[in-house]
Amino acid sequence: MKYTYQTILLVGHVAEAIDSIVAACSQTELRPVKVSTAYNCAYAKELLNEHDFSLVIAGLSKTFTVDDIASLTELHSPKPILVLLPEADCDQVLLALRKGANDVFIQSEITDTNKEFSNSISKLLLLADLIEKKLHYRNELEKSLSELQIDQQAALQIQQNMLPDKELNVGGLLARYLLIPSLYLSGDFVDVVSIDADKTMFYLADVSGHGASSALVTVLLKNMTNRLVRNYNRSSSFDILSPVSTLYRINSELLDTGLGKHLSIFVGLFDNSDASLTYAVGGHHPMPILTDKTGTRFLEGRGMPVGLFPEPLFDERKLQLLDEFEITLFSDGILEMLTEESMSAKEQKLIDVVIATEGAGPDMIKEALLPGLIKDAPDDIAIMTVCRQ
């Protein structure tokens, strides 16, 4: 706690009761008590506005009436108030309780009922102690949440800065994407990387889980692929020219982090000099959809998730593309949002929408699949299109 003691505010003319109050406080097993005084209601309100008190003990008089209790209760709530009446009066007792008093004693009988008075003081100070601890924990929680929000905003800014432009032309390709996080940060990630004048690597990754921990892995993924490009430019490693070698490198480094995270990923390497696509799959589903003048179909291939096994198996394939084509990639979050009952029906829905939108891009594909604003999605959703026209 911030303070090592509790505080009592005595309001009104209760001088003759101070000894009994101090004696009662000394018998409690709580924190030490400090006492402040206010001889009228106006000053008491001023003190309550400026300071936190554990307990208010108010002695009623001609200048401090039962009606004043309500104003003190409003300022002091939810912590307790004990009222001292100048004389026994059942109506005044009931009225004081209705105005917000937690307990009521007759001031002249405090000494005679010292045990009951002491017990009441102890109970009210214990109640105040519990309330103060609760308020302290709540303030600490709000502070932590505020700091967490600031951290998340910074992380979101970093993640967004790592992403490519929403639409870019590189290496003879037009690449576009749409990311919809289920939480503040996304575990889905896309990138388009120019390797040299002819070769362009693109990928869509889906990190297990979602939120901050998964977003952290996307940062590592971006760093890994950038390092492979730098190694290629320095002629120290040519793994970036092989999607399957790239997956093995990512798998090894992700396991080394010990984060317990894995990801599914599709990595494609487009060579504009011969219009070829070399690709590898790391546990990715659904497979990308290829559209050209011969039709629309899923690419073939399979492989284990990345970062889960020390010796995974990945499948690298190469195919010749036509002059005009489009490749549409989805993360598996899209499948969870589709209403079709079977997986084959959901996959057919993807095919049908890709055909219907005719290269209109990720935003139109999303609207065709999931019209309107997406709320409370169970997983991140990513859509990416790569085409040459």
Side-chain angles (χ1 to χ4, degrees):
M1 293 294 293
K2 183 178 179 180
Y3 302 109
T4 58
Y5 55 85
Q6 288 185 282
T7 54
I8 293 179
L9 176 62
L10 301 182
V11 184
H13 298 282
V14 292
E16 60 272 28
I18 288 181
D19 289 342
S20 297
I21 292 169
V22 171
C25 292
S26 66
Q27 297 176 34
T28 66
E29 297 181 358
L30 297 170
R31 290 172 283 151
V33 174
K34 289 190 175 184
V35 178
S36 300
T37 59
Y39 288 103
N40 58 64
C41 186
Y43 186 44
K45 291 180 181 179
E46 183 179 332
L47 290 177
L48 287 172
N49 277 316
E50 295 177 356
H51 306 283
D52 289 325
F53 291 92
S54 305
L55 173 63
V56 172
I57 299 177
L60 298 192
S61 63
K62 292 180 180 180
T63 58
F64 186 83
T65 66
V66 174
D67 291 331
D68 292 320
I69 296 173
S71 61
L72 294 187
T73 300
E74 183 178 352
L75 292 172
H76 189 57
S77 179
K79 287 184 278 186
I81 291 180
L82 186 149
V83 171
L84 300 177
L85 298 178
E87 58 186 22
D89 186 327
C90 290
D91 291 337
Q92 290 288 89
V93 171
L94 290 174
L95 187 57
L97 293 173
R98 288 170 180 165
K99 293 291 185 179
N102 295 79
D103 206 349
V104 180
F105 282 86
I106 310 305
Q107 190 166 321
S108 60
E109 298 178 357
I110 286 179
T111 303
D112 296 333
T113 59
N114 188 263
K115 183 177 180 180
E116 289 80 4
F117 185 66
S118 295
N119 288 339
S120 180
I121 292 286
S122 297
K123 290 178 182 178
L124 294 179
L125 285 176
L126 176 60
L127 174 61
D129 183 67
L130 294 174
I131 292 172
E132 287 165 349
K133 287 179 179 177
K134 179 180 178 181
L135 292 173
H136 172 75
Y137 294 143
R138 187 179 71 181
N139 290 336
E140 288 296 308
L141 179 59
E142 289 176 351
K143 179 182 177 182
S144 297
L145 289 175
S146 177
E147 292 174 350
L148 178 60
Q149 185 178 32
I150 293 172
D151 288 344
Q152 285 188 322
Q153 289 173 345
L156 178 62
Q157 188 65 45
I158 292 172
Q159 190 176 52
Q160 289 179 337
N161 288 342
M162 293 191 310
L163 288 166
D165 293 338
K166 286 291 186 70
E167 182 173 317
L168 72 160
N169 286 281
V170 55
L173 294 177
L174 170 63
R176 293 176 285 184
Y177 70 90
L178 173 67
L179 281 181
I180 305 174
S182 60
L183 297 176
Y184 197 71
L185 299 169
S186 176
D188 286 358
F189 193 75
V190 301
D191 204 3
V192 182
V193 182
S194 176
I195 299 174
D196 58 31
D198 294 317
K199 299 179 184 64
T200 303
M201 182 185 74
F202 61 92
Y203 63 84
L204 187 152
D206 182 357
V207 182
S208 60
H210 39 266
S213 60
S214 298
L216 174 61
V217 177
T218 68
V219 177
L220 297 176
L221 180 61
K222 175 72 172 181
N223 180 66
M224 293 176 200
T225 53
N226 282 352
R227 181 153 31 87
L228 290 177
V229 174
R230 290 196 300 269
N231 291 344
Y232 169 75
N233 292 330
R234 293 196 297 258
S235 298
S236 62
S237 166
F238 297 95
D239 287 339
I240 197 67
L241 297 182
S242 168
V244 73
S245 296
T246 299
L247 292 189
Y248 280 118
R249 287 290 297 270
I250 295 172
N251 185 80
S252 175
E253 296 194 27
L254 192 54
L255 285 173
D256 287 344
T257 65
L259 292 174
K261 285 285 186 178
H262 64 276
L263 57 89
S264 63
I265 186 171
F266 176 91
V267 179
L269 179 69
F270 175 70
D271 190 334
N272 196 38
S273 64
D274 61 2
S276 65
L277 175 69
T278 306
Y279 65 89
V281 183
H284 188 80
H285 184 259
M287 285 294 290
I289 297 172
L290 173 62
T291 300
D292 55 28
K293 67 181 182 180
T294 66
T296 299
R297 66 276 188 194
F298 286 103
L299 294 179
E300 296 180 350
R302 62 180 183 177
M304 296 180 176
V306 178
L308 200 56
F309 304 102
E311 296 182 1
L313 295 176
F314 301 123
D315 183 16
E316 182 172 279
R317 302 195 179 198
K318 184 174 182 178
L319 57 87
Q320 199 68 34
L321 298 173
L322 300 181
D323 290 340
E324 294 186 3
F325 65 86
E326 180 175 69
I327 300 171
T328 306
L329 303 93
F330 301 91
S331 65
D332 64 2
I334 197 75
L335 297 174
E336 297 186 46
M337 296 292 291
L338 297 181
T339 57
E340 284 72 15
E341 294 184 0
S342 67
M343 184 58 65
S344 59
K346 292 183 179 186
E347 291 176 341
Q348 186 59 49
K349 177 72 172 180
L350 297 181
I351 290 281
D352 293 342
V353 166
V354 168
I355 293 173
T357 52
E358 297 182 326
D363 291 284
M364 290 299 296
I365 292 173
K366 177 265 171 189
E367 279 302 307
L369 287 168
L370 305 169
L373 182 65
I374 295 177
K375 292 183 178 179
D376 302 321
D379 197 3
D380 305 316
I381 294 173
I383 304 173
M384 183 182 190
T385 60
V386 178
C387 67
R388 187 173 71 172
Q389 299 176 337

